[in-house]
Amino acid sequence: MAQHFLLSAAARTLNVRQIYKAGEDAAYETFCKLRWAETDGEPVCPDCGCLDAYRITTRRKFKCKAFHHQFSVTSGTIFASRKLSFADLLAAICLFVNGSKGRSAVQLSRELGVQYKTAWVMAHKIRESMQDEYEGRKVSGEVEIDGAYFGGHIRPANLREDRIDRRRARHQTGTRRVVVAIRARKGRTLTFVTPTEADGVDLVARNVLPGSVIFADEARHWDHLSRGFAMGRINHEESYSNLAGMHTNGAESFFSRLRRMVAGQHHFVSPKYLHQYATHAAWLEDHRRESNGDLTMRVIRNAMAAPVSRVFKGYWQR
Ligand SMILES: [Zn+2]
C-alpha cells in the first residue's frame, strides 16, 4: 500500500526544533525575504516605495531616506502589532499548519508558552491569511457542491430523516448554520456560511463559471441549477457514488475534515467564526499535498502581502 502523504519525508520539511536552533535572526530574515521577495529581503518603504532606508538595527526598524517614514518588516501587515518574537511567530505558523484537523488556541498557547489570548488572535490572523487566497475566486470544470449543518453539539447524521429532526431542534437555538462547499475537482474549495442549504443555489450560480459541470446530491433545491449548468445527480439512498465520476467525494472529504476540526479541536463553534474554520479546512484540503514547510511559507507570504487585519487587530483591547 502506498504510504500516506503525511507520513512521508516529503511532507515534513520544517519543524519547531529547526526554527529555534536557527534562531531569531534567521526567522527575521525569513520574514524579510518573503515580504520583500523582489529585492531579496532588502527593505522597501511601504509608504512611498523608496528602496533606500536607514537601518535602526537595535529595534529592527527602518527609516526611508526619501521621507523618513519609519517601518518594520511587519508594518501594514496582519502581523503588525505582533507580541511574539519572529522565531515564535514562525513556530506558531508551523504548528498551526501541522494540525491537519485544525489547532485550537488552547493547544497553541500551551505549545508556545504564551497567553491564550495571544494564541487565539494569532490563530485567527493565520486563518485570515489563508482566506486571502480565496478572495474573489471562482471555480470551473467539474465542480462538486454540498451543504452541511453546523452549530450546537448534536452531531448531524447522514440520514435524511435525522436531518429533518435536527433542523427543527436547531432552529430553536438560532446558532445552527449551513456550510456550503463548492469544490472544483481540479481546483479550489470555496466555502460559504448560510442560514439554509437552499441559499447555496445562488452562491453556486455566482461562483461557478459557465460551462462547468456540477455534481450534487438529490436535494430538490439544486434542481434550479440545471437551467444554467450540466449536472450529475447522486442519489445517496440508492448508492454511495459508484458510477464513474458520479460522486461528491471531494466535497464530502472537506466536510469530514471540518467536522473533525470542530468536534476535536474547537468543541463548539459560534456562527460568528464558522466561516473561518470552514476556510481553514478548505485551505488544508486544497494544499494537502504540500509539505509543512511550504505551507508555513505560504501563510507568511499571504500575511506579508495582506493589509492589517480588520477583524482581529487589537481584538482584546476593545
Ligand atoms: Zn517612505
Side-chain angles (χ1 to χ4, degrees):
M1 198 177 114
Q3 188 183 33
H4 189 281
F5 176 71
L6 291 179
L7 299 178
S8 71
R12 58 183 134 76
T13 55
L14 187 66
N15 63 57
V16 173
R17 187 175 48 190
Q18 286 169 347
I19 292 168
Y20 286 108
K21 202 174 167 202
E24 180 66 6
D25 289 345
Y28 175 63
E29 205 182 309
T30 303
F31 280 83
C32 288
K33 290 210 164 166
L34 291 169
R35 170 106 200 232
W36 296 305
E38 310 80 34
T39 57
D40 195 32
E42 291 302 312
V44 181
C45 174
D47 289 319
C48 67
C50 167
L51 294 173
D52 275 327
Y54 303 106
R55 282 162 196 272
I56 312 167
T57 42
T58 47
R59 291 189 297 140
R60 292 213 162 97
K61 289 254 167 83
F62 305 96
K63 196 197 269 183
C64 82
K65 289 188 180 172
F67 297 101
H68 292 196
H69 295 130
Q70 273 206 37
F71 60 96
S72 74
V73 67
T74 54
S75 286
T77 76
I78 208 166
F79 294 132
S81 49
R82 74 200 160 78
K83 301 214 167 38
L84 303 176
S85 70
F86 286 102
D88 284 341
L89 197 49
L90 192 52
I93 297 167
C94 180
L95 289 169
F96 200 75
V97 303
N98 282 350
S100 59
K101 310 282 188 307
R103 199 167 217 97
S104 71
V106 171
Q107 189 175 345
L108 202 56
S109 75
R110 286 178 177 178
E111 287 163 332
L112 291 167
V114 301
Q115 276 190 45
Y116 171 72
K117 291 172 178 181
T118 307
W120 190 90
V121 170
M122 180 59 51
H124 278 289
K125 286 182 174 178
I126 296 171
R127 287 191 198 95
E128 269 196 18
S129 79
M130 294 171 171
Q131 164 95 48
D132 289 335
E133 288 180 25
Y134 296 88
E135 288 304 327
R137 267 187 189 260
K138 293 179 192 291
V139 293
S140 61
E142 295 184 345
V143 178
E144 300 176 12
I145 61 172
D146 202 2
Y149 290 89
F150 285 84
H153 46 259
I154 305 166
R155 188 163 192 263
N158 290 324
L159 295 174
R160 187 153 55 172
E161 302 83 68
D162 295 352
R163 257 191 269 167
I164 290 161
D165 287 340
R166 192 177 317 282
R167 246 173 244 188
R168 289 186 184 129
R170 292 289 102 202
H171 265 147
Q172 289 161 7
T173 72
T175 61
R176 189 184 56 106
R177 293 290 183 279
V178 174
V179 174
V180 173
I182 304 175
R183 182 168 194 174
R185 286 184 182 162
K186 290 179 181 163
R188 295 295 185 126
T189 308
L190 308 182
T191 59
F192 301 89
V193 175
T194 65
T196 70
E197 193 183 77
D199 297 320
V201 173
D202 188 44
L203 290 165
V204 173
R206 283 193 282 123
N207 291 286
V208 179
L209 296 176
S212 301
V213 181
I214 290 180
F215 295 90
D217 65 21
E218 74 280 14
R220 297 282 287 280
H221 46 256
W222 301 131
D223 293 355
H224 297 285
L225 291 165
S226 62
R227 271 181 258 141
F229 298 95
M231 291 191 78
R233 303 298 288 273
I234 298 98
N235 186 340
H236 280 155
E237 277 160 16
E238 282 172 14
S239 71
Y240 274 89
S241 62
N242 289 322
L243 288 168
M246 287 290 285
H247 61 78
T248 52
N249 292 353
E252 279 155 36
S253 168
F254 158 77
F255 281 118
S256 164
R257 193 189 292 263
L258 182 57
R259 289 230 180 275
R260 286 165 199 223
M261 182 183 285
V262 169
Q265 285 288 319
H266 303 301
H267 310 301
F268 161 82
V269 54
S270 96
K272 197 173 162 191
Y273 299 119
L274 181 55
H275 187 246
Q276 297 233 356
Y277 301 140
T279 308
H280 184 184
W283 190 90
L284 289 167
E285 278 290 312
D286 292 350
H287 300 305
R288 68 196 181 284
R289 306 294 295 182
E290 291 176 28
S291 72
N292 71 339
D294 286 348
L295 293 176
T296 303
M297 297 309 134
R298 185 183 269 285
V299 165
I300 298 172
R301 205 176 291 116
N302 292 351
M304 295 284 96
V308 175
S309 169
R310 293 176 304 277
V311 186
F312 295 104
K313 189 188 176 207
Y315 187 85
W316 296 95
Q317 279 87 53
R318 276 179 211 164

